[in-house]
Amino acid sequence: MVGIGMENMVGMQTGNVAETIMAAIKNVQKNMTKLNIMVMGKTGAGKSTLINNVFSRNLAQTGIGKPVTQSIRKYEVEDFPLAIYDTPGLELGGENSIESLLKETNEVLSKGAMRGISESIHCIWYCVSTPSHRFEEAEAEFIKKFLDEANTFCVPVIIVLTQSYSKKDARALMAEIEKENLKVAQIVPLLAQDVELDDEYVIKAYGLDTLIDIVNNVIPEALRDTLAAVQKANLNMKRRKANAIVAASAATAAATGAIPIPFTDAAVLVPEQIAMIASITGVFGIPVEKATVTALLSATIGTVGTTIMGKSVVSAMLKMIPGAGSVVGGVISASVAAALTAALGEAYIAIMMKVAKGEMDLKEIESDEGKAKIAEIFKSKLSLKRNSKGKPVDEETEQE
Ligand SMILES: Nc1nc2c(ncn2[C@@H]2O[C@H](COP(=O)(O)OP(=O)(O)OP(=O)(O)O)[C@@H](O)[C@H]2O)c(=O)[nH]1
Ligand SMILES: [Mg+2]
């Protein structure tokens, strides 16, 4: 969770809440450490297909990348904390090409290691195509030397068995590779993209979520938020992280609200909620715009322009919270503060999940129907029974 800073606090009181949230979102994105992944494997192994199906921006398709050595290219897009080092068109025939590639990888790994965490390679995916059936001698020889190198620089290597539409073939290849006792983090079979054999016969993609879980386990802690943000293959990882953010924010709001807050000072809750929305946006890695945020606010806490939670909106909202009761003397309690914050966070997660799954368009959120949908979700979250820290008592809520 990232704090929103003093300048933002001032801006919030005088300016537009949506603008403050946008600034907080930019701040979260700017503060993400860049994740660097190296993808290796022979030409046609499926590296580009894998990259395009794992990450939420089409890095491999945006131009030819920047050559960092003769055969290694670096792909990145602006304002997206990911760099991919790819070896397009690689052939491993002959002594020379293996030696020169080892020299090149060594150069990239050592340069990165010298420049600190944001420049070092955090994980390597070595792709072997399952339909090729075997681990050729030249490849086995290369990978052994390459693993020695990677291990020297403490970079974890995952062997990815690409195009594994035949799980039987994948198992056989895996068994063959395992015999070599390689020092790899894991071997994972997957199919990055559906295979359409016929109009009616489609083999569904699988395994990308597992790959992301494995990567999450082997990269440094400081890169895990970035991984969750830049990938699109494991939405449950995003949801888990976002839920943790909401739980933390609700608990903080409960602590803030422990001394009941007068209605007119309901803004005291807002910094926590702004940080929460910004952090959740960061986890989803969805490029939201001010109009999206404005729509979200007006459909939930009724914030428009500079007015933060007018008295009437607050009392209407409080009526929906179980156990909030009638509010005496214009104060809200700790548990109500927590419930409000949690409901807002959960509603936002529900919307972001819909957008991530392609069930809802960002533009749709700004429409009247979109806002009505958000308001509906928010109301249903508000009416949940919760404990004093804002956690739903009934745990079925977040499972789908
Ligand atoms: N349907 C499907 N096709 C795949 C998959 N992986 C690779 N392919 C196909 O296999 C071919 C080669 O895949 P690429 O991703 O271009 O391979 P690459 O490793 O990037 O190859 P180079 O860039 O030449 O080194 C393409 O025609 C892909 O469409 C997959 O998971 N599903
Ligand atoms: Mg490629």
Side-chain angles (χ1 to χ4, degrees):
M1 174 85 44
V2 183
I4 59 164
M6 201 52 211
E7 69 277 29
N8 289 336
M9 299 275 297
V10 175
M12 192 190 64
Q13 279 150 18
T14 57
N16 187 305
V17 185
E19 238 156 54
T20 314
I21 293 183
M22 286 310 292
I25 289 173
K26 289 233 165 68
N27 209 28
V28 167
Q29 286 165 343
K30 209 177 66 206
N31 284 320
M32 271 190 192
T33 311
K34 185 168 263 192
L35 177 66
N36 302 309
I37 292 183
M38 193 161 169
V39 183
M40 309 228 16
K42 293 197 303 186
T43 186
K47 300 179 292 293
S48 302
T49 310
L50 178 63
I51 294 164
N52 285 337
N53 284 285
V54 165
F55 300 107
S56 55
R57 305 278 171 86
N58 259 350
L59 281 118
Q61 273 172 17
T62 50
I64 52 159
K66 179 179 151 228
V68 285
T69 67
Q70 199 182 333
S71 44
I72 302 173
R73 286 173 193 281
K74 181 180 181 181
Y75 294 83
E76 45 192 347
V77 288
E78 229 184 308
D79 296 327
F80 194 61
L82 173 73
I84 296 290
Y85 293 76
D86 187 15
T87 52
L90 182 70
E91 306 284 353
L92 282 176
E95 187 76 4
N96 270 346
S97 70
I98 288 183
E99 286 308 318
S100 66
L101 183 62
L102 281 170
K103 219 171 121 228
E104 290 179 42
T105 50
N106 189 288
E107 198 183 313
V108 173
L109 294 180
S110 64
K111 258 191 200 153
M114 279 186 303
R115 288 181 187 161
I117 187 154
S118 62
E119 294 286 327
S120 57
I121 303 292
H122 304 115
C123 187
I124 297 165
W125 301 351
Y126 191 92
C127 300
V128 182
S129 137
T130 291
S132 72
H133 285 293
R134 48 188 298 268
F135 210 39
E136 285 157 36
E137 220 164 279
E139 185 148 44
E141 190 197 331
F142 169 75
I143 200 164
K144 276 178 195 158
K145 290 183 182 164
F146 176 64
L147 283 172
D148 281 342
E149 217 171 67
N151 286 325
T152 307
F153 294 105
C154 299
V155 184
V157 178
I158 296 166
I159 294 189
V160 182
L161 304 184
T162 52
Q163 308 182 53
S164 299
Y165 40 81
S166 160
K167 291 192 179 172
K168 187 169 157 244
D169 287 354
R171 275 195 301 274
L173 182 59
M174 195 190 265
E176 198 186 324
I177 297 175
E178 272 167 355
K179 272 193 234 145
E180 306 271 351
N181 272 324
L182 303 172
K183 285 173 261 166
V184 294
Q186 205 147 334
I187 306 173
V188 51
L190 55 78
L191 181 63
Q193 199 172 293
D194 292 357
V195 177
E196 280 181 48
L197 294 178
D198 205 335
D199 280 351
E200 281 112 74
Y201 195 54
V202 176
I203 307 174
K204 283 279 171 206
Y206 72 91
L208 292 178
D209 52 346
T210 310
L211 174 64
I212 295 304
D213 279 332
I214 296 166
V215 175
N216 188 59
N217 289 338
V218 299
I219 58 175
E221 169 78 45
L223 272 312
R224 291 188 180 151
D225 282 351
T226 310
L227 175 68
V230 295
Q231 58 83 25
K232 64 173 178 187
N234 191 326
L235 295 185
N236 278 329
M237 175 181 282
K238 289 183 193 281
R239 198 209 315 248
R240 276 199 306 274
K241 282 208 178 261
N243 282 340
I245 291 166
V246 173
S249 299
T252 307
T256 312
I259 302 160
I261 304 161
F263 269 178
T264 45
D265 279 342
V268 170
L269 281 177
V270 171
E272 193 54 44
Q273 293 165 347
I274 288 174
M276 175 180 75
I277 296 291
S279 296
I280 295 172
T281 310
V283 164
F284 278 93
I286 292 169
V288 304
E289 283 171 22
K290 194 181 157 193
T292 320
V293 173
T294 306
L296 172 79
L297 293 175
S298 70
T300 52
I301 57 176
T303 308
V304 188
T306 53
T307 329
I308 303 165
M309 299 221 277
K311 222 174 189 171
S312 60
V313 180
V314 175
S315 27
M317 214 156 54
L318 293 183
K319 283 206 188 93
M320 289 181 234
I321 300 176
S326 66
V327 183
V328 188
V331 294
I332 61 174
S333 68
S335 60
V336 170
L340 268 179
T341 306
L344 178 64
E346 288 164 12
Y348 190 50
I349 291 174
I351 295 155
M352 288 287 107
M353 282 299 286
K354 281 186 197 295
V355 174
K357 283 181 186 166
E359 294 167 5
M360 194 170 183
D361 203 77
L362 273 181
K363 283 278 159 236
E364 202 186 320
I365 293 174
E366 297 161 31
S367 70
D368 284 344
E369 298 101 82
K371 278 190 243 179
K373 238 185 238 173
I374 298 170
E376 198 51 49
I377 296 170
F378 182 56
K379 274 183 204 160
S380 74
K381 298 292 182 190
L382 271 182
S383 59
L384 291 178
K385 272 218 172 79
R386 297 171 184 277
N387 69 16
S388 62
K389 288 204 173 101
K391 201 170 189 301
V393 176
D394 232 342
E395 266 306 21
E396 34 78 19
T397 48
E398 284 311 307
Q399 309 306 326
E400 259 162 43

